[in-house]
Amino acid sequence: MERYGLFIDGAWRPAENGETYEVLNPATGKVVGQSADGSEADVKKAVEAAHRAFPEWSGKTARERADILRRAYDQIVSHKEELAKIMTLEQGKPLAESRGEVQYAADFVEWSGEEAKRICGETIPASTPDKRIWVHKQPVGVAAAITPWNFPASMITRKIAPALAAGCTVVVKPAQQTPLTACRLVELFHQAGVPAGVINLVTGTNASAIGNTLLEDERVRKISFTGSTEVGKILMKQAADTVKKISLELGGHAPFLIFGDADLEQAADEVVANKFRNAGQTCVCANRIYVQEEIADRFSEILAEKTKTLKMGNGMEEGVKIGPLIDGDAAAKVEQHVKDAVDKGAKVVVGGRRISEGNVHFFEPTVLTEVNDDMLILEEETFGPVAPVQTFRTEKQAIEMANNSRYGLAAYFYTKDLSRAIRVAEKLEFGIVGVNDGVPSTAQAPFGGFKESGLGREGGRYGVEEFLETKYISIGLK
Ligand code: ADP
């Protein structure tokens, strides 16, 4: 069993109030570890440490920061198996997915480190001969990162690696459900040579108290959040008081369009890979599958056949593709969405049942047809393994249906028609568009949403830019 404290100013320490809490394995309901239950006093110490460490860290050369991040990448990759196991134990996703996530998490560290060396300003020609215009890039200062449980490693590295690359110091608050992966990760960064105070970690169960303290502190100049749109809006309002810079990566309600000319086998494989990853608990999972009328029956059959083969169970077991849902609330929401759809006329083609025992909750991978717009499932994020299939007639109608959402994170479509591919990609109101690609996320590309799905981008040079201020220096030569 893992036991962790808070990591503040380069050392592990108990929470100020001495409290700890138990971390549960969602596949068994058993305790897998303990983490410190931090509160306001701990957050204040963490911010102080980050603030103190800022001048030295931001004063290092880009090369020095890049070298440390490169060593952190090596540490993470060489501990991939251990991190993956911790992740599956506390989060539930299949071990193969955890291994994939650890590599994805490490990739942000490698990429951001390399980008540290390419943070460049510019000179702009002045309007008179006796002036010079310089533009400098500088780190914003102390950054706070608040992360969710569905990607316990990569949501952290996607924030702290670009922050560190830019020269910022950070305070991280991981999700209450998955602190152990975060603790082990932070330990590895430290072993790689990240100095005391540069990364501080506060775990805990009182998210709003921790959040408030971070948001109220004027030394915190940036908040980077991944989680629900609901909490994102709270943080956006709180950030207004001290006008912090904000990056928000919020909910999604991704459409997946299958046009009549698509390769149906391939499209169904991608829908399965996209929809059922992490038991449907990702913000870029397809929530609405729109199929062109003439191929709808055939496509639903193929999709149902592939869905039937997915093995459900404990993610530590070989061959398991669908792990447990994170908790009872999550299971209740999925169940409610399926029941509401069925009550309003949807047909369950495969799956459809919640399987709960004590505090362990699974939901069978499910395909629904005869779905319509009145159903909750087409409006709210389900965050579970349910694929609702609806039909469309024309390209224009498909685009309208896809865009008809307050969310705008990711959208996908399958077609062999090049002109259509370009037309549709340009018209979709989403930050990420997968054209014949159901899994586009990668460390070097910009990840983020339109509309209520968020603000800002993570990944590649876009991710580093979010942690930089632009300073204009005007020089008179007279
Ligand atoms: P999810 O539905 O994925 O759990 P949340 O938005 O509830 O999404 O949680 C994402 C992260 O935000 C978690 O680390 C959670 O503890 C934190 N969080 C939840 N409520 C608040 C809040 N009021 N202030 C700050 N952080 C919060």
Side-chain angles (χ1 to χ4, degrees):
M1 187 164 94
E2 310 273 349
R3 274 200 186 80
Y4 277 106
L6 308 173
F7 191 73
I8 297 174
D9 208 9
W12 291 99
R13 55 177 83 186
E16 193 70 358
N17 58 15
E19 300 287 328
T20 60
Y21 72 98
E22 290 177 337
V23 182
L24 302 180
N25 179 341
T28 63
K30 301 220 169 75
V31 176
V32 286
Q34 282 189 353
S35 197
D37 198 356
S39 60
E40 290 92 332
D42 305 295
V43 176
K44 285 193 179 124
K45 280 202 184 123
V47 173
E48 260 156 44
H51 189 246
R52 254 196 324 273
F54 179 71
E56 195 178 324
W57 180 250
S58 57
K60 282 193 186 300
T61 63
R63 178 62 188 253
E64 284 169 329
R65 292 200 298 271
D67 283 349
I68 290 173
L69 286 170
R70 174 70 215 186
R71 287 203 292 277
Y73 169 84
D74 291 340
Q75 282 283 351
I76 296 170
V77 170
S78 64
H79 291 82
K80 187 187 281 185
E81 200 58 25
E82 183 199 344
L83 281 164
K85 282 187 178 141
I86 297 173
M87 191 187 297
T88 294
L89 286 174
E90 69 177 353
Q91 198 273 343
K93 68 176 66 179
L95 194 54
E97 285 189 34
S98 294
R99 290 187 188 113
E101 186 188 334
V102 175
Q103 184 60 52
Y104 178 54
D107 289 345
F108 285 102
V109 181
E110 183 189 48
W111 241 90
S112 304
E114 290 162 349
E115 279 303 296
K117 294 183 260 182
R118 290 186 277 272
I119 296 171
C120 301
E122 63 175 335
T123 61
I124 300 173
S127 306
T128 56
D130 57 355
K131 281 206 178 192
R132 297 293 181 270
I133 297 173
W134 287 359
V135 181
H136 267 232
K137 293 286 180 181
Q138 292 184 346
V140 294
V142 175
I146 300 181
T147 58
W149 50 263
N150 61 344
F151 288 93
S154 57
M155 295 304 99
I156 292 179
T157 57
R158 193 153 90 174
K159 299 183 189 312
I160 68 177
L164 264 57
C168 294
T169 55
V170 296
V171 178
V172 186
K173 192 214 88 69
Q176 158 183 350
Q177 296 92 333
T178 57
L180 305 176
T181 309
C183 291
R184 192 67 187 106
L185 258 183
V186 165
E187 204 162 45
L188 294 173
F189 272 96
H190 185 58
Q191 282 163 11
V194 173
V198 174
I199 299 176
N200 304 278
L201 179 75
V202 179
T203 57
T205 55
N206 193 345
S208 58
I210 295 173
N212 288 345
T213 315
L214 285 169
L215 271 291
E216 276 167 11
D217 198 311
E218 61 191 20
R219 292 168 299 181
V220 174
R221 294 314 313 150
K222 164 92 194 178
I223 168 88
S224 178
F225 170 76
T226 299
S228 61
T229 295
E230 187 192 352
V231 173
K233 287 179 182 177
I234 297 173
L235 298 178
M236 196 169 172
K237 285 180 187 143
Q238 290 179 331
D241 283 340
T242 50
V243 193
K244 292 187 201 323
K245 292 198 174 300
I246 42 180
S247 295
L248 302 173
E249 207 273 276
L250 310 177
H253 205 266
F256 202 130
L257 318 179
I258 321 285
F259 286 97
D261 60 36
D263 179 325
L264 297 191
E265 280 289 330
Q266 224 181 66
D269 278 336
E270 289 285 290
V271 168
V272 168
N274 169 291
K275 173 71 247 183
F276 297 113
R277 193 158 64 110
N278 207 359
Q281 302 173 109
T282 92
C283 50
V284 290
C285 278
N287 277 268
R288 304 173 280 150
I289 297 159
Y290 298 119
V291 188
Q292 202 151 17
E293 245 170 28
E294 63 266 29
I295 52 149
D297 290 345
R298 177 86 194 102
F299 180 79
S300 301
E301 255 169 52
I302 299 174
L303 180 62
E305 281 309 312
K306 293 187 190 291
T307 304
K308 263 186 218 154
T309 66
L310 300 173
K311 188 174 160 194
M312 192 168 77
N314 186 328
M316 294 301 264
E317 283 165 25
E318 199 57 42
V320 164
K321 292 285 194 315
I322 306 277
L325 294 174
I326 193 72
D327 57 27
D329 287 348
K333 186 175 189 194
V334 180
E335 190 177 33
Q336 182 205 12
H337 279 194
V338 171
K339 183 175 180 308
D340 170 81
V342 170
D343 287 350
K344 291 173 181 162
K347 193 171 133 215
V348 178
V349 184
V350 51
R353 282 185 311 149
R354 169 183 175 172
I355 298 159
S356 290
E357 217 183 295
N359 57 351
V360 175
H361 309 274
F362 286 89
F363 204 96
E364 289 175 339
T366 300
V367 176
L368 301 177
T369 55
E370 292 169 43
V371 171
N372 65 56
D373 286 347
D374 297 334
M375 300 171 182
L376 267 183
I377 202 160
L378 286 195
E379 179 85 30
E380 288 178 18
E381 208 175 3
T382 306
F383 239 58
V386 184
V389 180
Q390 220 182 337
T391 58
F392 66 87
R393 235 169 274 130
T394 63
E395 180 182 308
K396 182 165 175 287
Q397 188 193 11
I399 294 167
E400 277 166 14
M401 289 165 104
N403 286 341
N404 182 22
S405 171
R406 65 189 174 105
Y407 295 110
L409 185 57
Y412 313 87
F413 64 95
Y414 252 78
T415 182
K416 284 186 188 149
D417 180 332
L418 178 63
S419 308
R420 168 180 284 153
I422 294 169
R423 271 192 315 268
V424 176
E426 287 177 354
K427 289 200 178 114
L428 288 170
E429 295 162 359
F430 292 83
I432 302 163
V433 176
V435 185
N436 299 329
D437 182 8
V439 278
S441 302
T442 178
Q444 63 268 46
F447 188 106
F450 289 12
K451 300 183 191 169
E452 291 189 29
S453 287
L455 286 175
R457 295 293 181 271
E458 296 187 306
R461 67 184 165 83
Y462 301 89
V464 178
E465 192 65 38
E466 299 277 328
F467 292 93
L468 293 168
E469 279 284 14
T470 298
K471 181 183 282 176
Y472 158 42
I473 303 175
S474 176
I475 306 166
L477 306 183
K478 281 189 282 244

